[in-house]
Amino acid sequence: MENREREKPKSSRLKIVIIILAVLLVLSAGGLAARYLYLKFLSPAQATVTVPDNQIGEEPEPSSEETPGASQGPESPSAPDNGGAGTADDPDGNENGSPEADKPSASVLELYAGRPDANRRFEVNNMLPGDTETRYFCVKASHDADIILYFRADVTEETKSLGDVLQIKVTRLDTGKVLCDAPIHEVTGKGFSELLTASAQGETAAYYQIDVSLDTSVGNEYQAAMLQADFHWYVEDESGLAPPQTGDITNLTLWIVLAASSLLLILLVPTMKRKKEGGPHGQA
């Protein structure tokens, strides 16, 4: 009789513990799902960062194997100043603004476990022969192993077959490596890749410059033409990607709570079942 009376409080406490763990399990799983949906669909899509001086202030190393990259490499250091100013607040490229205003801004694209790809919409219209549109991108990849980063341009809309004569050149700023340099129609739908080596920081921030230009030899028949394209940055093999480095421990905490709650429930639920099954026999 005493043993039965002693086991009742224990059984009640066990039920309370299981209920609390179940609630924690649901909350942590819901929190992770909500965080994933936020990062996937609702986080700011147009975050930008100023391109660091060490990315644009030095001549590219003359070790590039590609001939176009070697011959056009000297233009890379000067292009950011003109192109960045032309697309920001100083369309004339004047140098009398503030130092920060003269530096180009790069769109930030984050790749991590659960989000292996990102893209930005690009559009040009009414370009004249000799015009160039320049964009900068900072691809931040969270990874704990070597990964292969891909770039792909997909034309979504155009007039007058502008992609036949519109040249696209993608350059890695810190190394001067040219991923592609050809008319957009020749590269659309094709993936151009490079290896990102894992580091102790667990993250790689790779800066790229994309120049879209119309050669001076092109006639004025393309003057009123337009082209829209999606610039995709992605990783095909997600195994090397790691959770995002957000600067907080929210994600890690939720995973710990989820794992601990699941483990304890797996251990306690069978115990609860055994007590229930053993109850009638004990009373008999």
Side-chain angles (χ1 to χ4, degrees):
M1 184 71 176
E2 278 182 33
N3 288 338
R4 221 176 296 133
E5 291 296 328
R6 233 182 274 126
E7 285 180 6
K8 281 184 180 179
K10 289 182 181 178
S11 178
S12 298
R13 286 196 294 270
L14 189 58
K15 285 181 180 178
I16 293 172
V17 170
I18 290 176
I19 292 173
I20 292 173
L21 289 174
V23 171
L24 288 174
L25 182 63
V26 171
L27 290 177
S28 56
L32 284 170
R35 187 171 177 80
Y36 171 80
L37 292 174
Y38 172 79
L39 291 172
K40 186 75 174 177
F41 301 109
L42 300 177
S43 58
Q46 298 298 327
T48 59
V49 64
T50 300
V51 180
D53 288 333
N54 61 354
Q55 300 286 333
I56 60 178
E58 298 177 0
E59 290 279 341
E61 303 252 348
S63 58
S64 176
E65 296 179 2
E66 284 121 326
T67 304
S71 61
Q72 300 181 16
E75 296 179 5
S76 297
S78 59
D81 291 332
N82 296 332
T87 57
D89 298 328
D90 186 12
D92 297 324
N94 295 327
E95 299 179 357
N96 54 3
S98 65
E100 286 298 321
D102 290 340
K103 295 178 182 178
S105 295
S107 297
V108 178
L109 301 96
E110 297 190 48
L111 307 181
Y112 46 80
R115 186 180 180 178
D117 60 85
N119 72 281
R120 287 290 183 271
R121 176 62 57 87
F122 174 81
E123 180 178 352
V124 292
N125 55 72
N126 200 31
M127 291 185 71
L128 298 175
D131 284 353
T132 299
E133 288 287 339
T134 300
R135 298 290 185 272
Y136 299 92
F137 296 90
C138 174
V139 181
K140 288 187 177 181
S142 299
H143 58 115
D144 49 19
D146 293 354
I147 59 173
I148 298 178
L149 175 67
Y150 289 87
F151 168 79
R152 189 181 75 243
D154 292 332
V155 176
T156 57
E157 186 179 351
E158 67 176 324
T159 60
K160 300 184 179 181
S161 299
L162 182 59
D164 289 338
V165 294
L166 202 61
Q167 192 86 0
I168 181 171
K169 179 181 178 182
V170 183
T171 308
R172 173 83 178 263
L173 285 178
D174 59 340
T175 64
K177 177 181 178 180
V178 177
L179 271 66
C180 67
D181 187 1
I184 287 185
H185 274 177
E186 290 186 13
V187 303
T188 187
K190 298 179 181 178
F192 298 88
S193 65
E194 72 165 331
L195 180 69
L196 299 184
T197 307
S199 65
Q201 290 76 24
E203 182 182 77
T204 299
Y207 287 84
Y208 295 90
Q209 174 180 325
I210 298 183
D211 297 306
V212 177
S213 59
L214 202 60
D215 193 81
T216 54
S217 61
V218 176
N220 289 326
E221 63 269 21
Y222 294 98
Q223 182 174 343
M226 61 82 65
L227 180 141
Q228 291 181 351
D230 286 333
F231 289 164
H232 296 272
W233 303 88
Y234 60 97
V235 174
E236 290 185 342
D237 183 4
E238 298 185 47
S239 60
L241 293 176
Q245 299 186 2
T246 58
D248 57 52
I249 60 171
T250 304
N251 214 45
L252 178 60
T253 302
L254 288 173
W255 276 112
I256 291 175
V257 172
L258 180 65
S261 302
S262 302
L263 179 60
L264 290 173
L265 281 173
I266 291 172
L267 295 174
L268 293 178
V269 169
T271 303
M272 189 70 181
K273 285 184 178 179
R274 283 197 299 269
K275 285 184 177 291
K276 283 186 178 180
E277 291 170 358
H281 299 293
Q283 290 173 4

